[in-house]
Amino acid sequence: MTSVKEQAAISRLITFLQEWDNAGRSTRSQILENFISANKGKTGPELEMEFSQGASLFLVRLTAWLRLTYLYGTCMQQLLKSIGIFLSAASGQRYLIEFLEVGGVLTLLEILGLSQLKEEDKKESIKLLQLVAASGRKFKELICESYGVRSIAEFLATSKSEETQEQVQILLDTLGHGNPKYQNQVYKGLIALLKCTSPKAQQLSLQTLRTIQTIVETAHPSIVDSVLGVLRSLHLEVQYEAIQLIKDLMAYDVRLPLLKGLVALLKPSRQETAKLQARILEETGTLHLMESLPTYIQQAAAAKAIGILAQDSRELAEELLFLRVVHGLMCAMSNKDHTNSQRQASITLEQDPTNLYLKMDGVQTDILASNIVNIPEVFLAKAKEDFREEEESTPEEELETEDSEMLP
């Protein structure tokens, strides 16, 4: 038999639920505001105490209203924040299960693709998906099985808010960890994102790929063209992340295709360059935009990446020499239309990057452009052998050699 105190609590709960059921939009909005301010950060047991062991009765009403109104954005931000209080409650996994049983994940994913909803509403949806994914492997799998990776990746590519995009990155990173069944799906989704037009999305995808790559262990062949394509970006932060990923990928089986690709970028196709130049002149009637020609930006970035790789590893430097990198760098130095290509190529060749390209005349650049430099393999092999002998020689041996040379 219930006590008078318990009966009073149950009566308050029934009154509260009836008020919600009979309320219009404005009243429900106020109820949600009061609920958020009074219950943020509460645990599952605390919520049950607040609702006289009937918290689930309010949660089911919230999820039902969400499913009925999410297409129209009715009180969406307040509604999602209220549901988030239940999903984030410590010792409250029952609320998560109840939310998922009524198709909560599918609703959250559909919200991301609705153009009529506000960016803030979609950010709240991402936060709820983060809570679901952080609850364990089976919940990550549920999101992925609901075509979640595709929906989330598409939203990252189209979002206009950098703050929201950073929240999406956290979600994708969570889905890529501790999710062996679908980690490759997340990995391929990130690779596909490199071809989007959002610089922030590209930057975040590159950062996440660096961590996910260590988990999947093998590199997918499609990553080669995708990461090389990102070098066309005008944004230095994107180029930086791309070069860092390229450095990481030197430990995988895409190493040689990447090196070949970088060397090839040093000498852009004349046909492609001519078409782009003609289009720029036709559309703008000015030559100064030649500096931002994507092919030239990519050429300069490739020269920079090659220089960084060669400095990091003598072995990589030798491989690049076999791939005729010197020939390519000299071609890049001849690019009179893009001073940064000349500068980066000069740095990599360890020439004078400050003044050399400024002092070159037309004849000199033509000579560089038509160079046929090719270091014979026999010379490279001999240099490699000499270097190994130097590394293996001991200080005592070197002293003996010097003494013998001093003797008459």
Side-chain angles (χ1 to χ4, degrees):
M1 189 171 179
T2 57
S3 66
V4 174
K5 189 176 180 181
E6 289 173 335
Q7 287 178 343
I10 292 171
S11 178
R12 285 197 301 273
L13 173 62
I14 293 172
T15 302
F16 173 79
L17 295 176
Q18 286 176 342
E19 181 186 1
W20 172 268
D21 293 340
N22 297 324
R25 175 178 174 175
S26 60
T27 305
R28 285 190 173 184
S29 176
Q30 188 58 53
I31 291 172
L32 291 175
E33 284 290 347
N34 295 338
F35 172 76
I36 293 167
S37 60
N39 297 283
K40 189 175 182 180
K42 283 188 175 180
T43 64
E46 287 172 338
L47 288 171
E48 288 302 320
M49 186 178 295
E50 177 73 21
F51 285 90
S52 307
Q53 308 306 311
S56 292
L57 295 174
F58 185 46
L59 175 59
V60 74
R61 283 165 167 77
L62 295 179
T63 53
W65 199 36
L66 175 65
R67 294 177 67 194
L68 288 171
T69 63
Y70 75 92
L71 291 172
Y72 313 104
T74 307
C75 302
M76 185 63 61
Q77 196 172 343
Q78 297 163 310
L79 188 51
L80 292 171
K81 283 183 176 180
S82 298
I83 293 173
I85 288 174
F86 284 99
L87 300 191
S88 62
S91 304
Q93 194 173 52
R94 56 176 288 193
Y95 304 134
L96 175 62
I97 301 300
E98 291 168 3
F99 178 70
L100 298 180
E101 284 177 346
V102 295
V105 164
L106 285 172
T107 303
L108 294 176
L109 291 172
E110 286 180 29
I111 287 171
L112 301 180
L114 297 176
S115 58
Q116 66 268 32
L117 296 185
K118 298 176 182 177
E119 190 85 9
E120 283 297 316
D121 298 336
K122 296 179 181 181
K123 184 171 78 171
E124 291 301 324
S125 180
I126 288 292
K127 288 181 178 180
L128 293 190
L129 287 167
Q130 288 174 357
L131 292 172
V132 175
S135 298
R137 174 176 167 178
K138 64 179 180 180
F139 300 105
K140 295 175 186 177
E141 291 178 353
L142 176 61
I143 293 173
C144 295
E145 287 165 0
S146 304
Y147 302 98
V149 173
R150 180 176 178 177
S151 299
I152 295 163
E154 287 177 352
F155 177 55
L156 175 58
T158 57
S159 174
K160 305 301 180 187
S161 165
E162 291 192 0
E163 185 180 346
T164 302
Q165 288 176 308
E166 287 168 1
Q167 292 297 322
V168 179
Q169 180 198 28
I170 293 171
L171 176 56
L172 286 170
D173 187 68
T174 303
L175 291 174
H177 286 78
N179 188 14
K181 188 175 180 180
Y182 291 105
Q183 63 189 20
N184 274 306
Q185 189 181 101
V186 177
Y187 175 63
K188 291 175 183 178
L190 289 166
I191 293 175
L193 273 169
L194 298 183
K195 296 183 179 180
C196 76
T197 56
S198 166
K200 186 65 175 180
Q202 289 177 324
Q203 180 189 10
L204 295 174
S205 299
L206 288 163
Q207 289 173 349
T208 312
L209 269 170
R210 293 187 66 195
T211 60
I212 304 299
Q213 183 65 69
T214 60
I215 297 171
V216 298
E217 294 183 350
T218 57
H220 194 274
S222 65
I223 200 171
V224 174
D225 289 339
S226 296
V227 75
L228 291 178
V230 175
L231 294 178
R232 287 175 168 240
S233 176
L234 285 166
H235 300 265
L236 294 179
E237 66 274 15
V238 176
Q239 287 192 15
Y240 170 80
E241 296 295 345
I243 292 173
Q244 294 306 305
L245 178 58
I246 288 171
K247 286 173 64 178
D248 292 348
L249 290 171
M250 291 299 103
Y252 297 86
D253 54 2
V254 294
R255 168 173 168 159
L256 184 57
L258 269 173
L259 293 178
K260 285 182 176 179
L262 286 170
V263 173
L265 293 178
L266 296 173
K267 195 174 179 181
S269 163
R270 290 184 180 180
Q271 187 176 4
E272 180 189 0
T273 305
K275 285 181 180 178
L276 288 169
Q277 288 175 335
R279 190 183 309 163
I280 286 179
L281 290 173
E282 183 180 336
E283 292 177 358
T284 66
T286 180
L287 277 167
H288 90 277
L289 287 179
M290 290 298 181
E291 283 289 324
S292 60
L293 198 66
T295 304
Y296 292 161
I297 293 168
Q298 192 179 29
Q299 180 189 50
K304 182 177 181 179
I306 287 169
I308 292 171
L309 293 175
Q311 283 185 334
D312 284 353
S313 166
R314 183 184 177 96
E315 185 180 350
L316 286 176
E318 290 173 354
E319 286 187 51
L320 287 163
L321 287 173
F322 277 110
L323 296 172
R324 297 195 66 198
V325 71
V326 175
H327 166 73
L329 289 168
M330 291 176 72
C331 289
M333 281 185 63
S334 73
N335 188 351
K336 295 177 289 184
D337 292 324
H338 197 250
T339 54
N340 197 37
S341 288
Q342 294 180 305
R343 181 174 178 274
Q344 295 298 338
S346 298
I347 292 172
T348 300
L349 285 169
E350 297 191 356
Q351 303 297 319
D352 179 4
T354 307
N355 298 311
L356 181 61
Y357 66 90
L358 296 173
K359 296 176 180 177
M360 287 191 297
D361 58 29
V363 175
Q364 291 169 326
T365 54
D366 288 341
I367 292 172
L368 286 171
S370 58
N371 85 86
I372 55 172
V373 170
N374 184 25
I375 302 175
E377 290 189 18
V378 63
F379 290 169
L380 292 172
K382 181 66 170 61
K384 191 173 184 179
E385 184 181 341
D386 291 344
F387 174 73
R388 284 177 179 168
E389 288 178 357
E390 288 175 12
E391 283 190 325
E392 291 171 359
S393 64
T394 63
E396 291 79 6
E397 290 174 339
E398 292 177 3
L399 286 172
E400 288 176 5
T401 303
E402 290 176 5
D403 290 343
S404 61
E405 290 175 351
M406 293 174 65
L407 292 174

